Amino acid sequence: MSATVAVESENPLTAGLERLPVAPTTLVIFGATGDLARRKLLPALYNLAQDGALPERFHLVGVARRERQHQDYRAECEQAIRSFSRRKPDEDVLAQLLEHVRYAAGTFDDDTMYGQVGVLLDEFDERAGERLNRAYYLSTAPEFFATIIGRLGDSGLAHPPEAQVRVIIEKPFGSSLAEAEELNRRVLEVFDENRVFRIDHYLGKETVQNLMAFRFANGMFEPLWNRNYIDSVQITAAEDVGIGTRAGYYDRAGALRDLIQNHMLQLLCHVAMEPPVGFTAEEVRNEKVKVLQAIATPTPDAITHMAVRAQYARGHSGGEDVPGYTEEEGVPRDSHTETYAAVRLEVDNWRWAGVPFYVRTGKRLARKVTEIAVTLKPVPHLAFSQDGSLGVRPNQLVLTVQPNEGVSLQFGAKIPGTRMVIRPVNMEFLYGAAFLSQSPEAYERLLTDAMRGDPTLFTRNDEVEAQWRICDPIVAAWAASADPPPDYEAGSQGPAEAGSLLRPGDQWRAV
């Protein structure tokens, strides 16, 4: 079955947000020649320009270590946009965007570089005849975040007169609770919290935002959205690739810190949060923090029963033989870093008490998929048991975040014929088919919201620290263990040990 879409009156939850203006802005990207800037940020800016979503006066300053002329950096921007934009570039739009691009060179602890940036910002302001808003995007290695923030404060770039300044900080925000708390302290010494935008690109994905629409704009779901009707929730972020060229970062981070601590706990919050009083940044984030506060801090004794790690071994994936994790280039041969992590969490409040939330992520699994599967309790009496039935399975609502964004509802239906034979069927809604358009990239929405000053889809300081409070004890316990993680074959469903987290009768969905 497929869904059709009728356009009706605007949703009161989001009314007005899209009409907030994006004021004239200069965006400064620190780490402007890095992979994130090339593959995501620059193409996102171009797509916004083509949609007419950038402010009328928009300027870009790229900051990186190597010396370049302005025209050289413009050429690099053009190449990145042509290579990674989701659209074929319009030559006039591209030329107009690149006309307002400049470059400053220097290390992130170099006062001279911040002086160069200040000169470029002043030149843009003079040309516009007004003080433009400023947004500083920290697209660098995390060890430079505090340095850049401090130098922005010392140089006076953080608080120019008659302009609003925002700072956008990429993940990971610290590698432990202590680091996150210290980084928050140093950031908030320079910027007020309402000027800080800690980015989690999952929150910019259409399916994640649509989860709130499905829950709070449709009366059919809310009566069922509790422990009386929901049996379990399974959140999966599976990848079919290995670590690629990310060995230096990944071996320090591991699967738990790379995805579960940020992206996947955010998905859990969207599933479990209470309806906000209003669709404002503070109300939405208040409800998410309440969810995180309702998850108990794991104790050393509990960790062995609620968390599993593993590491991929050599196997067959994508039609070819692939090496194991410790055989990858740049990975120490004795590395104990997990490439698979699964945890069982419980949200201890009235709505969710007793409902397990199974959260897992892994590399070199059978396929790439990110999804949320909400399993309802089975029917109390199984009347359909004739031969030929595939069984009356519990209903499942599955929200697919990637690669094929959409929602499916699984329920039992009778197979045509003379006998009462039941099989599961799916009713599906796919974004591409329903709206006949390609979903915008997450960074397009997030960059616009940051320049607009709307922090709804960004994480707050107490939210980040609450996420680390849950994950930090698990990270510490695994780091202290002398035992290597169990392995699983590349291209498989993951380690058999993950089954130990499940209640009797539960099973992991196939990836």
Side-chain angles (χ1 to χ4, degrees):
M1 301 182 185
S2 61
T4 59
V5 176
V7 179
E8 299 181 358
S9 59
E10 65 184 8
N11 182 354
L13 288 173
T14 59
L17 286 181
E18 302 298 330
R19 294 191 295 271
L20 289 176
V22 183
T25 300
T26 299
L27 174 66
V28 181
I29 300 179
F30 292 91
T33 59
D35 202 51
L36 176 64
R38 291 178 58 253
R39 291 177 174 271
K40 297 295 183 181
L41 303 184
L42 292 169
L45 290 171
Y46 168 77
N47 288 323
L48 291 172
Q50 185 162 327
D51 287 339
L54 286 180
E56 184 178 351
R57 289 187 293 279
F58 173 81
H59 307 85
L60 173 65
V61 178
V63 179
R65 289 182 303 162
R66 293 182 181 177
E67 290 288 342
R68 286 173 174 81
Q69 298 298 316
H70 297 313
Q71 62 268 26
D72 295 332
Y73 181 60
R74 291 191 196 102
E76 291 183 27
C77 292
E78 179 179 356
Q79 182 182 20
I81 291 167
R82 293 189 185 279
S83 299
F84 301 111
S85 171
R86 61 185 174 89
R87 294 169 165 155
K88 181 179 179 180
D90 179 286
E91 299 302 324
D92 292 338
V93 174
L94 181 57
Q96 187 174 3
L97 177 65
L98 295 175
E99 180 184 349
H100 302 288
V101 172
R102 302 290 186 273
Y103 182 80
T107 59
F108 300 128
D109 59 355
D110 179 10
D111 292 334
T112 304
M113 181 269 287
Y114 294 91
Q116 293 179 48
V117 172
V119 169
L120 292 172
L121 293 172
D122 290 339
E123 288 178 359
F124 286 137
D125 291 349
E126 291 174 10
R127 185 176 305 171
E130 62 177 316
R131 182 74 74 176
L132 306 179
N133 286 352
R134 299 175 182 181
Y136 301 114
Y137 198 117
L138 276 56
S139 177
T140 70
E143 57 262 31
F144 298 119
F145 292 168
T147 299
I148 296 171
I149 294 291
R151 295 303 171 100
L152 287 173
D154 294 340
S155 64
L157 296 177
H159 302 288
E162 302 177 1
Q164 294 186 0
V165 176
R166 285 126 190 171
V167 59
I168 307 164
I169 305 177
E170 265 291 340
K171 81 170 190 75
F173 198 87
S175 60
S176 65
L177 176 59
E179 283 189 19
E181 290 174 333
E182 174 62 16
L183 183 53
N184 269 329
R185 184 188 67 78
R186 297 184 67 174
V187 170
L188 297 178
E189 285 178 347
V190 179
F191 294 97
D192 293 335
E193 175 61 33
N194 62 1
R195 303 295 183 195
V196 182
F197 292 74
R198 300 170 189 81
I199 204 164
D200 184 332
H201 73 269
Y202 266 47
L203 299 187
K205 292 182 178 294
E206 288 292 334
T207 312
V208 177
Q209 297 171 54
N210 209 40
L211 178 54
M212 285 193 283
F214 267 88
R215 286 197 54 198
F216 305 138
N218 295 289
M220 70 182 80
F221 294 119
E222 181 58 25
L224 307 178
W225 213 260
N226 56 64
R227 60 187 173 85
N228 295 325
Y229 295 96
I230 291 179
D231 190 60
S232 66
V233 178
Q234 210 171 112
I235 305 174
T236 299
E239 297 182 73
D240 56 0
V241 296
I243 59 167
T245 60
R246 301 175 68 213
Y249 161 74
Y250 198 89
D251 199 63
R252 295 194 306 270
L256 186 77
R257 283 187 280 201
D258 187 46
L259 275 179
I260 290 181
Q261 183 273 329
N262 38 71
H263 300 328
M264 302 190 74
L265 285 182
Q266 284 292 322
L267 296 181
L268 186 153
C269 287
H270 279 73
V271 173
M273 65 187 284
E274 295 296 321
V277 174
F279 200 80
T280 66
E282 290 311 298
E283 294 293 348
V284 170
R285 297 195 291 184
N286 286 344
E287 297 303 335
K288 290 197 292 178
V289 169
K290 289 178 185 176
V291 172
L292 296 170
Q293 291 172 340
I295 299 174
T297 302
T299 63
D301 291 338
I303 289 171
T304 57
H305 304 291
M306 52 81 67
V308 165
R309 62 173 175 160
Q311 192 180 87
Y312 67 81
R314 63 174 58 188
H316 194 74
S317 178
E320 60 183 21
D321 294 328
V322 295
Y325 176 71
T326 56
E327 299 169 315
E328 299 276 17
E329 184 179 352
V331 175
R333 296 298 174 257
D334 59 350
S335 174
H336 287 185
T337 297
E338 80 281 0
T339 62
Y340 178 101
V343 296
R344 185 185 68 243
L345 301 172
E346 291 194 7
V347 179
D348 193 13
N349 59 22
W350 275 40
R351 182 183 289 264
W352 296 109
V355 177
F357 286 76
Y358 301 118
V359 182
R360 61 172 171 167
T361 183
K363 290 190 174 295
R364 285 284 188 220
L365 295 175
R367 68 185 176 104
K368 177 183 177 67
V369 63
T370 300
E371 66 175 23
I372 303 165
V374 180
T375 302
L376 275 66
K377 291 184 182 295
V379 294
H381 174 63
L382 190 60
F384 306 107
S385 57
Q386 289 195 22
D387 293 341
S389 288
L390 299 180
V392 180
R393 302 176 186 175
N395 303 127
Q396 276 194 332
L397 179 69
V398 180
L399 296 102
T400 304
V401 177
Q402 60 183 12
N404 299 315
E405 293 180 306
V407 183
S408 68
L409 178 64
Q410 184 185 89
F411 56 91
K414 177 185 174 296
I415 299 175
T418 58
R419 302 167 61 221
M420 182 59 74
V421 179
I422 306 299
R423 60 163 286 184
V425 297
N426 286 330
M427 182 167 61
E428 293 187 319
F429 155 70
L430 298 174
Y431 274 90
F435 294 110
L436 302 178
S437 64
Q438 186 179 15
S439 295
E441 291 287 338
Y443 280 97
E444 295 173 31
R445 172 64 186 267
L446 295 174
L447 283 167
T448 306
D449 280 1
M451 290 188 288
R452 182 185 285 132
D454 180 2
T456 305
L457 300 179
F458 297 82
T459 51
R460 202 168 59 192
N461 58 339
D462 55 344
E463 204 173 339
V464 171
E465 292 176 9
Q467 291 172 181
W468 274 117
R469 177 188 55 77
I470 296 167
C471 293
D472 218 29
I474 304 173
V475 171
W478 288 350
S481 174
D483 298 328
D487 59 23
Y488 60 97
E489 184 180 349
S492 70
Q493 293 290 317
E497 287 81 359
S500 66
L501 302 182
L502 303 174
R503 298 174 309 184
D506 289 349
Q507 59 183 2
W508 290 112
R509 283 174 54 84
V511 296

